[in-house]
Amino acid sequence: EEDLLALGNYRTIIKLAIRPKRAFASPAKPSVKDPVDVNAPFFITAIVTHKVLIIGSGPAGLTAAIYAARANLSPLVIEGTPSSTSDQPGGQLMLTTEVENFPGFPEGIMGPELMSRCRDQAVKFGAMFITDKVTKVDFSQRPFRVWVRGTQYTADSIIVSTGAQSLMLGLQEETQLIG
């Protein structure tokens, strides 16, 4: 009933259940236990388990993505959603002006440019990105499970690199002086 297939760098489990139409009690009412299309002669469920899933896309998350991608692990990075705080793709460096202490840039580099270049490098080596926030995790069993809204992702390894978040004082001048 289960076949293991190698598909690129993923381990994919495909369950194929073939049922005749008459096996369903009522074509108009699929049960909660059996939420398949009752008019279809068969249904397919595919569960893709990623080797590496990375939560967060600041410097640590993107560095992990680069190394995992270079090791042909095809990491999936859930990078967050754009916002005006440090809780966004690229992390706190997206709010930073000149970064003068990053190796390889003796003249300095702007924070957003550095994060863009790191993301481009991860993509070049095979990392995939989802621009959304993780809404739920389950690390109690393997493969580990992560949800983004209603979609579930599974992985053999998960790197949590959610970083830090700046604590704001709530002053009117704060938004003008960020960066």
Side-chain angles (χ1 to χ4, degrees):
E1 193 175 292
E2 290 186 357
D3 292 320
L4 244 80
L5 302 174
L7 179 65
N9 289 319
Y10 304 105
R11 187 180 77 214
T12 304
I13 299 170
I14 297 179
K15 291 182 181 181
L16 176 64
I18 301 175
R19 298 182 181 183
K21 287 184 183 181
R22 67 182 178 279
F24 293 101
S26 167
K29 288 181 156 184
S31 73
V32 174
K33 288 170 103 178
D34 200 7
V36 298
D37 180 3
V38 294
N39 295 317
F42 62 90
F43 64 93
I44 298 174
T45 303
I47 301 169
V48 176
T49 300
H50 299 273
K51 291 182 181 178
V52 177
L53 187 146
I54 301 166
I55 302 172
S57 63
L62 292 178
T63 300
I66 291 167
Y67 278 90
R70 287 186 48 127
N72 292 322
L73 298 175
S74 298
L76 175 64
V77 180
I78 303 175
E79 63 181 348
T81 55
S83 71
S84 60
T85 67
S86 61
D87 181 22
Q88 65 174 316
Q92 287 187 349
L93 282 178
M94 295 302 287
L95 304 176
T96 304
T97 52
E98 193 169 10
V99 178
E100 297 176 307
N101 62 345
F102 196 85
F105 296 95
E107 69 288 345
I109 185 169
M110 299 298 281
E113 182 185 352
L114 176 61
M115 292 293 79
S116 176
R117 291 174 73 172
C118 288
R119 188 182 192 283
D120 291 347
Q121 188 174 4
V123 168
K124 173 185 173 186
F125 290 113
M128 296 162 291
F129 287 79
I130 294 174
T131 306
D132 211 337
K133 289 187 179 185
V134 170
T135 53
K136 180 180 169 184
V137 297
D138 180 4
F139 297 148
S140 67
Q141 63 184 358
R142 290 183 182 264
F144 301 120
R145 298 183 300 164
V146 172
W147 285 264
V148 174
R149 298 178 193 232
T151 305
Q152 176 183 311
Y153 299 90
T154 59
D156 295 325
S157 301
I158 294 183
I159 299 170
V160 179
S161 58
T162 53
Q165 187 171 2
S166 301
L167 297 176
M168 301 299 176
L169 298 173
L171 302 173
Q172 191 175 19
E173 297 83 17
E174 258 179 338
T175 55
Q176 296 168 356
L177 298 173
I178 247 177

